[in-house]
């Protein structure tokens, strides 16, 4: 299929604010695509060439695109730059400059979707010396063979800034419309449920669309777990208190909520795969966990779930940020394995010897899990269960967990089936302490992309240094600021942007520096030590509670307060 057809859809997506019109525009192109093109188009519609969990990226920055545009149009780089400063969008810049230069005959050429997709994917593999030149030539080839309008979208996709892309929900609904147009009303809801199920089993809408086309509704419903491919795991809901959590289910099992990283482990004989909660493949990073699965898990074919934890000196738990070094590490793995040893704590099983266990109650799954793990204290254990509804016993268990440096507890419904991909009531409830909020100052922001273009999307937070009076960074925050206002108390991205615009001190790429003026009340899960920020601390999962219009930067919390709170974090001092 020619790329201009996809460009037509992008134009339509840009033009219409209506979700229904977006869905039908997307559905039409999905229906027309052949089986090879279908997965490519689904990613391209979302402005991507790799699935969201893939670690691959095009690695194209503004600088390279400026060179490409200069090369392709004959304008000097400085002129391209000047134009870009005026538009703030390299897509528009390339479109304008190309249409000024291009001879009509060249513009008539039509590039193919497959060619665009494959060239953009190739970018990820380019590395080392001279890689910039190679990248330039790969994208330039596309730009030279496309119309100005096509070049606009190609450049934006290469940069990861499509701006008109569609969200996953639109893709899901468009698959329903494309392949089941006759199903309406309640029947449509059933179709969407089946598509979701297939997506939970194989979180890739390209695959799902192919299944919908070839296998129909039945095919979608029968989608199952495939060993070696990640699935969307069950998520926990937050409980307001331990009492509430215990009262929520008839039969409960309380477990510690460990401060590590979720791992789904797939085993097929000697072949092992490990995936994170974000579905990244981390098998290479954890050869020690692979060994545990080979040696201490007796089942031949299974899919297990657990938490991997870093073990510090004297066998005590190490903070999450130590573990994250293991997750991110791509080289020198064996040294990391001995420097940062880990421990596995298993807590669920979803497949055993070819049989899926999603519809079995947790009590049964837990017994099956116990039957296949040879535990080894300090290395490979099962999460210890406490089966009680007695609040005193549960509270003691919870305090033990915090004292041991863990996050809190999980209260699990022993009668619940496993519902992939969902934060469902009826499954798991998490209970953890709420940290005291901090009042922090905004010192910078990042411009949003896609739907958020033109608005600041995330904000640099800073605390006050009592001695120098300066503001020191302690994290970026995007959570809690809304796209749309649905309650009076909501603060929108637009409101934040308007509030901050006049205080911009300077820009660097898509980051702006902002004069410290606005104070926000911020909730977070934990304070961590961090070399990334000038305060030496980083907030984990910061979110906006409210704008403190009543406070000036001088009233913001100090660095000293951060260090007191850091030290007070229950149990963390023992790490
Ligand atoms: P949250 O990320 O706060 O929504 O909490 C859910 C996460 O807690 C899971 O994804 C696991 O990584 C983690 N977790 C720690 N301990 C357990 C446990 N015993 N059972 C289930 N999940 C656990």
């Amino acid at each position: 299929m020619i790329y201009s057809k996809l460009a037509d859809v992008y134009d339509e997506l840009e033009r219409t604010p209506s979700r229904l019109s977006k869905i039908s525009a997307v559905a039409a192109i999905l229906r027309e695509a052949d089986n090879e093109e279908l997965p490519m188009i689904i990613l391209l519609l979302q402005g991507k060439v790799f699935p969201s969990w893939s670690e691959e990226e095009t690695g194209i920055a503004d600088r390279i695109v400026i060179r490409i545009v200069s090369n392709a149009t004959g304008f000097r780089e400085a002129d391209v730059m000047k134009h870009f400063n005026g538009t703030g969008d390299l897509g528009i810049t390339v479109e304008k400059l190309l249409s000024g230069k291009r001879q009509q005959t060249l513009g008539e050429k039509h590039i193919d979707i497959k060619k665009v997709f494959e060239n953009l994917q190739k970018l990820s593999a380019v590395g080392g010396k001279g890689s910039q030149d190679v990248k330039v030539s790969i994208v330039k080839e596309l730009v030279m063979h496309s119309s100005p309008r096509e070049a606009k979208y190609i450049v934006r996709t290469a940069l990861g800034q499509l701006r008109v892309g569609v969200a996953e929900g639109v893709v899901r609904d468009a698959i329903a419309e494309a392949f089941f147009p006759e199903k309406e009303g309640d029947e449509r809801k059933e179709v969407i449920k089946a598509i979701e199920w297939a997506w939970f089993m194989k979180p890739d809408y390209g695959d799902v669309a192919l299944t919908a086309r070839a296998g129909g509704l039945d095919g979608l419903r029968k989608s199952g777990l495939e060993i070696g491919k990640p699935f969307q795991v069950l998520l926990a809901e937050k409980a307001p208190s331990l009492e509430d959590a215990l009262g929520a289910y008839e039969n409960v099992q309380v477990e510690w909520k460990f401060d590590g990283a979720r791992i789904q482990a797939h085993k097929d004989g000697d072949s092992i795969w490990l995936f994170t909660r974000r579905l990244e493949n981390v098998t290479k990073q954890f050869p020690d966990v692979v060994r545990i699965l080979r040696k201490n898990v007796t089942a031949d074919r299974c899919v297990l779930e657990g938490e991997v934890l870093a073990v510090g000196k004297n066998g005590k738990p190490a903070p999450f940020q130590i573990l994250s070094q293991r997750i991110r590490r791509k080289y020198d793995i064996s040294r990391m394995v001995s420097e940062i040893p880990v421990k596995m704590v298993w807590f669920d099983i979803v497949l055993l010897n070819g049989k899926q266990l999603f519809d079995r109650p947790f009590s049964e799954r837990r017994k099956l899990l116990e039957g296949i793990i040879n535990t080894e204290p300090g290395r490979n254990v099962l999460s210890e269960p406490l089966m009680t509804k007695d609040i005193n016993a549960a509270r003691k268990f919870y305090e033990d967990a915090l004292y041991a440096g863990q996050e809190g507890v999980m209260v699990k419904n022993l009668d619940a089936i496993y519902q992939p991909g969902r934060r469902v009531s009826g499954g798991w409830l998490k209970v953890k302490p709420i940290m005291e909020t901090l009042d922090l100052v905004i010192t910078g922001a990042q411009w949003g992309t896609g739907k958020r273009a033109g608005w600041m999307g995330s904000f640099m937070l800073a605390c006050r240094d009592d001695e120098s009076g300066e503001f020191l960074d302690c994290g970026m925050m995007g959570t809690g600021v809304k796209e749309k206002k649905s309650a009076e108390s909501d603060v929108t991205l637009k409101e934040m942007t308007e509030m901050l615009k006049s205080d911009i001190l300077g820009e660097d790429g898509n980051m702006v520096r902002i004069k410290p003026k606005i104070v926000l009340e911020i909730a977070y899960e934990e304070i961590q030590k961090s070399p990334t920020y000038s305060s030496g601390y980083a907030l984990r999962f910061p979110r906006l509670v409210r704008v403190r219009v009543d406070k000036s930067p001088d009233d913001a919390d100090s660095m000293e307060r951060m260090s007191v709170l850091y030290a007070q974090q229950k149990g963390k001092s023992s790490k």
Side-chain angles (χ1 to χ4, degrees), residues 255-258 262 277 307 410 412 430 432:
E255 298 174 17
W256 282 11
K257 184 175 189 306
F258 300 94
R262 177 112 169 227
R277 152 106 166 248
E307 194 87 349
M410 285 287 210
K412 298 186 176 177
K430 56 183 171 191
K432 48 188 185 183

Side-chain angles (χ1 to χ4, degrees), residues 436 561 563-571:
E436 196 174 311
R561 173 113 200 90
S563 43
V564 171
L565 288 174
Y566 173 79
Q568 277 175 356
Q569 286 174 140
K570 257 193 179 161

Side-chain angles (χ1 to χ4, degrees), residues 26 94 103 111 117 126 137 139 170 176 186 229 426 429 438 446 453 458 532 537 548 550:
V26 173
V94 73
Q103 298 289 326
I111 196 158
F117 185 82
V126 180
S137 73
V139 182
V170 170
D186 282 350
K229 300 258 173 74
L429 287 169
L438 282 166
Q446 187 169 26
S458 51
T532 317
Y537 292 107
R548 294 299 304 252
D550 54 329

Side-chain angles (χ1 to χ4, degrees), residues 4-19:
S4 73
K5 287 209 171 163
L6 186 58
D8 289 341
V9 180
Y10 289 144
D11 284 349
E12 173 67 11
L13 293 172
E14 190 160 36
R15 199 165 35 235
T16 175
S18 144
R19 190 169 188 273

Side-chain angles (χ1 to χ4, degrees), residues 7 51 97 125 139 156 170 233 320 326 373 405 431 490 506 528 575:
L97 298 184
V139 182
R156 284 180 176 175
V170 170
V233 294
F320 176 79
R326 283 283 311 261
I373 307 248
V431 184
D490 282 351
Q528 300 178 324
K575 282 181 181 174

Side-chain angles (χ1 to χ4, degrees), residues 27 31 173-185 187-188 191 195 212:
R31 217 175 290 130
D173 293 1
I175 292 174
E177 176 146 337
F179 302 113
F180 307 92
E182 70 292 351
K183 307 263 188 211
E184 285 168 7
E187 279 191 332
R188 174 59 65 89
V191 169
I195 293 175

